[in-house]
Amino acid sequence: MKYGYFDDQKREYVITDPKTPVKWINYVGSLAFGGIVDHTGGALICRGDPALNRITKYIPQLPSSGFKGETLYLRFKQGDRYRVFSPYFVPTLDPYDLYECHVGLGYTRIVSKFYGIRTEVTVFVPLGDSRLISDIQITNVSDHPMHIDAIPVVEYTHPDALKQFTNADWVPQTMQSKAYPDEAGMIILAQYPFMYKETRVNYFASNRRVSSFESDRRRFLRDNECGTWANPLSLQEEELSNYEALRGDNIAALLHHLGTIRPGETTKLITQLGQTESIENALPAITHYRDTEQVEQALREMSAFWDSYLSRLQIETPDASMNSMLNIHNPRQCHTTKNWSRYVSLYQLGLGARGIGFRDSSQDVMGILVHMSQQGKELIRQLLHVQKRDGSAMHQFNPLTMIANEGDSRDLPDTPKYYADDHLWIILAITAYLKETEDFAFLKEVIPYYEKGKDGHPIEFQVLDHMQRAIEFTTHNVGAHGLPLLGFADWNDTVNLRAGAESLFVANLCGTALLEMMELAQHLGDTEALARYASSYETMKQRVNQCAWDGEWYVRYFDADGSPLGSRSNPQGQIYANGQSWPVISGFAPADRARTALESVYRRLNTPNGIKLSTPGYNAFDPAKGGITTYPPGVKENGGIFLHANPWVVIAETILGNGDRAFEYYKQLNPAAKNDRIDEFECEPYAYPQNILGDEHPQFGLARNSWLTGTASWTYQAATQHILGIIPTYAGLRINPCIPSKWDGFKATRVFRNATYRIEVRNPDHVCKGIKSVKVDGKAIGDNAVAIVGDGKAHLVEVIMG
Ligand code: GLC
């Protein structure tokens, strides 16, 4: 365990070496206010939208050693100079006696020891609040008294994060800072671009007397910025210059003389970085959080939130790393993707117009329904606002303005402007929400489509209508084989074929969505709709099986000229994983084809690091295929291991009853298992990455794009609903595990519709799948769907497999 270890008791990963292979991060707060804190205290913070309202200037491309957005300096006198260092290691890079970064649920705590000073800083955003708190405790662990000064610093960005990098004339001419002293000498340093002076003001404040401050980067670093963040020359002076920046690169540095700290003594400092309409309005809250007790209370509340979030499903299986992932890290990552979609990470930089992805967030919702179904509903509602009248969806939207766009298809003027899969995912999200909550009133809620009517009024329809139109868009927009047209792309963003190409993935996703619509129609007693959907399902199933079977697997696309992609007749891109998992998930594949197709996945696509998305990789750029050919073979969608698609194969294997293989696939993805060969993997071992280089690439096994990936939601669903088989249905909770045959069983606690189920599964015959008996509170029940009207009580569910 080279860079750190899991502390499941505290629900933390503890990084013990700041020189991790790449930056490792944590998320704090939410999209409403929050962002990223990296393992050496750098912070990318925004409010409401990282593109339009960003607060700190964190440049992810800078080396790990460089200052990014926020840091803390401490100093003490050594001879006639100050010894200045950062307890975060970066940016001063002093030798440390102890360094630990505790990556916790909603907080990061850096504990370090330098020069006889132990510092513990907890960084977090109080629940529902709009400020980043740093709770700093400094202890003198030397044998002599020390005079210590603390200088916390942030660097601001223009709120329009892209403008910060594209316009170095306008931005610096507008950035200003102003100090608000109060009676206690506790200065609040405010910052704003001129246009937001009276509406949107950033501030940095602490709970101790500020002796002096600096708001101009140039004055802080000194020597016309030949001073550095590693050695800011102004910190060799007794005081900072108290300069209120009129332009330029704005920072906030607050110098505190903490006085003499005796050996063994601890002193505290709390800083807060927030945003408000006016400092006057913010004063009561600023005062509130200057109180150590209130900060501790906020930390306790956050911890209680996570207790309650996680407690809705806890499991105990014979596999310790599965337990750790499912009880802590995977649901936490689902919370993160639900919050941030693919908007801001160290890889997706939250600049410009990416915003919230329609398909991405529709899938993310499914990962948090167990834990926070109401927030899931809110996100579904927001997504439906950008669905179009014809049933298709805008590809992404900005959460602050609700302005949507057509994604990358805008870059290629001659291509279709819709993504063929987007709108179908929302059906899966809505039915999953209904199964979790029974909130059928939601189907009648009226939500406008994205376009306005001719009169400028919104065109509003019920949620059920949104779902119907989504299906119709796909069943109406078909190509030469009667299969859904690809549009600009389907789930695989990077295969961009000419207009007229067809997608087998969308055919199967549509099949899956139709199954959901059929089940819903049946539940609602709408026989006419049921018949209609069933007939569309059969038609699509027939078409898929008539034209897409390639002998040992299904093809993935038909190009505009009718030629297949993902066929043995292709020199590259012969077989695609999604081409095989989805016909099983949709139920389109007959049993023999399902088996053969999944065997082909194992044979052709599986590696010890996960299943490749396709193989062999395309070996040269080909504009007729699109983005996939911009990557070298083995990278990302072009023959790389695209983790998001792996749990779909897991699910398909469980449908066939193959629990051993499903688990093998599940386990080989677990980032925690990479802890011991992390120099090859490089990313955080506590979050799933989006991609790992495939075996055609010399750096096979290298992960990138951690955190914001559909892998979180789908791995969680695959593990909890398909391997452990704890499945919410309209009728109740269904228990139908598909586990490794060697397991003796497992236990789970699941809160579902206001009752708690203590589930105990035993597997005396060592099967993978199959139920012999189910008892609820000691009484045998007929089938394996447990239906208890939420009585707020705990019930024992005993399942015997066989
Ligand atoms: C990225 C995109 C996602 C897409 C996937 C595969 O993760 O965010 O929308 O489905 O790549 O191309």
Side-chain angles (χ1 to χ4, degrees):
M1 288 196 272
K2 201 163 165 191
Y3 298 101
Y5 61 91
F6 286 88
D7 182 346
D8 281 1
Q9 215 73 47
K10 298 212 176 92
R11 304 186 298 203
E12 290 177 345
Y13 183 88
V14 186
I15 305 169
T16 52
D17 178 349
K19 297 172 195 163
T20 50
V22 290
K23 294 165 203 95
W24 287 3
I25 63 160
N26 195 5
Y27 281 83
V28 292
S30 67
L31 185 55
F33 187 97
I36 294 168
V37 175
D38 75 22
H39 69 295
T40 56
L44 189 169
I45 302 299
C46 61
R47 185 185 190 191
D49 191 310
L52 300 181
N53 194 5
R54 191 176 293 212
I55 298 173
T56 57
K57 190 196 284 174
Y58 184 109
I59 305 175
Q61 293 98 331
L62 290 181
S64 295
S65 52
F67 169 86
K68 285 177 284 307
E70 173 151 19
T71 197
L72 168 66
Y73 295 97
L74 300 182
R75 68 176 191 179
F76 58 93
K77 269 265 164 73
Q78 252 180 353
D80 58 357
R81 282 184 60 79
Y82 280 105
R83 162 70 72 181
V84 178
F85 72 96
S86 171
Y88 298 163
F89 181 65
V90 170
T92 58
L93 312 179
D94 289 54
Y96 54 85
D97 297 317
L98 171 75
Y99 157 90
E100 283 174 1
C101 173
H102 297 247
V103 180
L105 298 172
Y107 66 89
T108 281
R109 178 172 297 133
I110 296 182
V111 183
S112 67
K113 212 155 75 178
F114 293 83
Y115 308 114
I117 299 169
R118 184 184 190 278
T119 315
E120 188 173 318
V121 186
T122 307
V123 183
F124 74 108
V125 174
L127 283 182
D129 199 78
S130 49
R131 80 198 60 238
L132 181 76
I133 301 248
S134 296
D135 181 3
I136 305 163
Q137 304 191 18
I138 299 162
T139 308
N140 180 353
V141 290
S142 78
D143 56 8
H144 54 273
M146 295 180 90
H147 306 273
I148 298 172
D149 293 344
I151 310 96
V153 184
V154 298
E155 184 177 18
Y156 292 108
T157 169
H158 193 275
D160 183 329
L162 191 57
K163 280 275 164 56
Q164 174 69 46
F165 297 111
T166 56
N167 195 332
D169 176 29
W170 183 65
V171 167
Q173 301 290 21
T174 68
M175 299 283 271
Q176 304 191 332
S177 291
K178 191 165 165 33
Y180 292 85
D182 64 24
E183 325 78 71
M186 291 198 271
I187 288 165
I188 299 168
L189 199 48
Q191 193 282 331
Y192 39 81
F194 178 70
M195 67 190 280
Y196 294 132
K197 189 174 164 190
E198 264 136 35
T199 50
R200 210 200 269 178
V201 176
N202 300 321
Y203 62 87
F204 194 51
S206 75
N207 68 338
R208 293 183 65 149
R209 196 178 158 271
V210 171
S211 181
S212 55
F213 65 86
E214 186 53 78
S215 62
D216 181 84
R217 190 178 75 185
R218 193 160 161 223
R219 285 172 179 251
F220 185 68
L221 300 180
R222 288 278 171 92
D223 279 5
N224 292 332
E225 301 220 56
C226 286
T228 64
W229 287 110
N231 181 21
L233 299 175
S234 67
L235 292 185
Q236 289 304 329
E237 312 268 325
E238 189 70 15
E239 296 295 343
L240 297 170
S241 80
N242 289 335
Y243 179 73
E244 294 170 305
L246 301 169
R247 61 174 308 287
D249 292 299
N250 284 204
I251 63 166
L254 304 176
L255 193 153
H256 307 82
H257 300 298
L258 301 178
T260 306
I261 305 174
R262 289 188 305 273
E265 196 189 345
T266 298
T267 191
K268 294 186 181 184
L269 174 69
I270 296 167
T271 66
Q272 34 183 315
L273 169 67
Q275 192 183 78
T276 175
E277 303 68 48
S278 74
I279 295 295
E280 208 166 81
N281 287 357
L283 270 178
I286 293 176
T287 309
H288 177 84
Y289 285 107
R290 277 173 163 162
D291 180 350
T292 330
E293 177 46 38
Q294 296 305 334
V295 168
E296 279 163 16
Q297 176 61 18
L299 267 168
R300 282 194 292 273
E301 280 166 18
M302 196 173 68
S303 171
F305 161 80
W306 282 103
D307 285 344
S308 125
Y309 176 88
L310 294 175
S311 69
R312 297 185 65 87
L313 176 57
Q314 286 287 296
I315 58 116
E316 197 186 318
T317 75
D319 190 274
S321 68
M322 182 187 214
N323 297 346
S324 165
M325 277 320 272
L326 288 186
N327 290 334
I328 306 168
H329 307 284
N330 194 175
R332 183 260 301 272
Q333 192 176 351
C334 289
H335 181 267
T336 309
T337 55
K338 184 266 162 195
N339 250 307
W340 298 96
S341 196
R342 308 294 168 270
Y343 210 173
V344 69
S345 72
L346 295 188
Y347 307 90
Q348 316 194 71
L349 301 185
L351 304 166
R354 180 164 180 137
I356 303 291
F358 192 93
R359 79 152 79 93
D360 300 325
S361 288
S362 300
Q363 295 170 77
D364 296 341
V365 163
M366 293 183 253
I368 50 96
L369 289 174
V370 175
H371 306 277
M372 44 197 295
S373 54
Q374 284 318 298
Q375 285 89 334
K377 176 182 174 172
E378 281 155 30
L379 182 52
I380 291 172
R381 198 182 271 142
Q382 215 182 3
L383 290 161
L384 288 173
H385 275 85
V386 301
Q387 189 186 6
K388 292 169 60 177
R389 272 172 91 174
D390 65 10
S392 70
M394 299 299 286
H395 191 58
Q396 53 200 23
F397 65 95
N398 184 293
L400 268 191
T401 60
M402 289 308 287
I403 294 173
N405 65 59
E406 291 105 352
D408 289 346
S409 70
R410 288 168 301 166
D411 300 343
L412 299 173
D414 297 331
T415 51
K417 289 289 160 282
Y418 70 94
Y419 289 68
D421 62 320
D422 276 344
H423 50 283
L424 293 170
W425 295 108
I426 199 75
I427 294 177
L428 272 50
I430 295 169
T431 54
Y433 168 74
L434 296 176
K435 287 173 185 174
E436 184 67 35
T437 60
E438 283 186 302
D439 176 12
F440 291 101
F442 183 53
L443 289 174
K444 300 217 171 86
E445 197 171 308
V446 170
I447 294 179
Y449 286 106
Y450 186 62
E451 314 94 318
K452 298 225 171 3
K454 284 209 186 76
D455 53 3
H457 286 119
I459 306 167
E460 299 184 311
F461 280 90
Q462 294 188 347
V463 169
L464 190 58
D465 186 78
H466 282 253
M467 298 166 83
Q468 277 160 2
R469 289 194 196 199
I471 292 281
E472 280 161 17
F473 182 86
T474 298
T475 52
H476 291 169
N477 285 283
V478 295
H481 297 85
L483 296 168
L485 290 167
L486 177 64
F488 176 72
D490 60 26
W491 172 89
N492 187 331
D493 274 335
T494 64
V495 176
N496 317 117
L497 307 173
R498 286 154 293 186
E502 294 165 287
S503 163
L504 270 302
F505 177 85
V506 179
N508 286 295
L509 178 62
C510 180
T512 309
L514 281 165
L515 286 178
E516 290 296 338
M517 293 306 282
M518 286 154 66
E519 207 184 333
L520 180 62
Q522 187 155 38
H523 189 78
L524 299 175
D526 186 344
T527 46
E528 185 274 324
L530 173 60
R532 196 157 26 89
Y533 293 132
S535 141
S536 300
Y537 180 85
E538 282 309 319
T539 309
M540 195 71 86
K541 180 177 180 175
Q542 262 177 28
R543 290 176 186 165
V544 166
N545 281 301
Q546 251 160 30
C547 61
W549 184 247
D550 195 55
E552 286 174 274
W553 58 80
Y554 285 95
V555 305
R556 177 65 171 80
Y557 308 87
F558 287 109
D559 209 338
D561 62 4
S563 60
L565 273 84
S567 154
R568 68 194 142 162
S569 63
N570 303 127
Q572 284 97 29
Q574 281 173 350
I575 172 170
Y576 283 73
N578 291 341
Q580 320 318 319
S581 50
W582 276 90
V584 182
I585 295 172
S586 67
F588 284 175
D592 55 333
R593 286 186 176 182
R595 188 68 271 152
T596 309
L598 291 189
E599 274 310 309
S600 299
V601 170
Y602 191 64
R603 212 164 20 88
R604 298 288 311 271
L605 295 170
N606 192 39
T607 79
N609 283 310
I611 300 164
K612 294 182 279 184
L613 194 58
S614 62
T615 206
Y618 298 97
N619 51 15
F621 177 57
D622 177 0
K625 299 215 168 47
I628 189 167
T629 64
T630 62
Y631 293 111
V635 181
K636 295 261 290 190
E637 283 94 337
N638 189 24
I641 297 158
F642 211 94
L643 271 71
H644 187 153
N646 278 242
W648 292 333
V649 184
V650 172
I651 294 171
E653 289 287 358
T654 64
I655 291 172
L656 301 194
N658 197 348
D660 290 316
R661 173 120 351 132
F663 193 71
E664 180 188 340
Y665 284 148
Y666 171 75
K667 196 145 161 99
Q668 75 191 5
L669 279 194
N670 191 337
K674 307 287 189 331
N675 209 30
D676 295 331
R677 45 190 171 110
I678 204 79
D679 280 322
E680 164 190 314
F681 183 75
E682 295 199 352
C683 280
E684 298 94 325
Y686 45 87
Y688 288 101
Q690 180 215 54
N691 68 83
I692 298 177
L693 293 175
D695 52 10
E696 283 180 90
H697 194 282
Q699 285 167 284
F700 174 51
L702 178 96
R704 277 298 181 272
N705 206 343
S706 52
W707 285 96
L708 300 187
T709 159
T711 316
S713 168
W714 281 107
T715 313
Y716 193 63
Q717 293 179 69
T720 57
Q721 297 194 30
H722 300 272
I723 295 178
L724 302 182
I726 305 168
I727 312 160
T729 72
Y730 296 123
L733 207 57
R734 180 174 295 278
I735 316 290
N736 191 18
C738 182
I739 56 175
S741 51
K742 69 166 199 269
W743 280 14
D744 293 325
F746 66 90
K747 290 184 187 163
T749 305
R750 167 73 148 97
V751 181
F752 179 65
R753 300 192 200 155
N754 196 30
T756 301
Y757 297 89
R758 301 207 189 288
I759 302 161
E760 292 183 12
V761 176
R762 288 202 289 126
N763 187 22
D765 298 341
H766 289 277
V767 296
C768 285
K769 199 172 187 174
I771 303 287
K772 237 190 217 158
S773 70
V774 182
K775 275 195 212 157
V776 179
D777 295 329
K779 275 194 229 107
I781 59 162
D783 68 4
N784 54 358
V786 188
I788 284 171
V789 186
D791 57 4
K793 293 193 188 133
H795 300 275
L796 179 66
V797 182
E798 293 163 286
V799 179
I800 313 275
M801 294 177 68

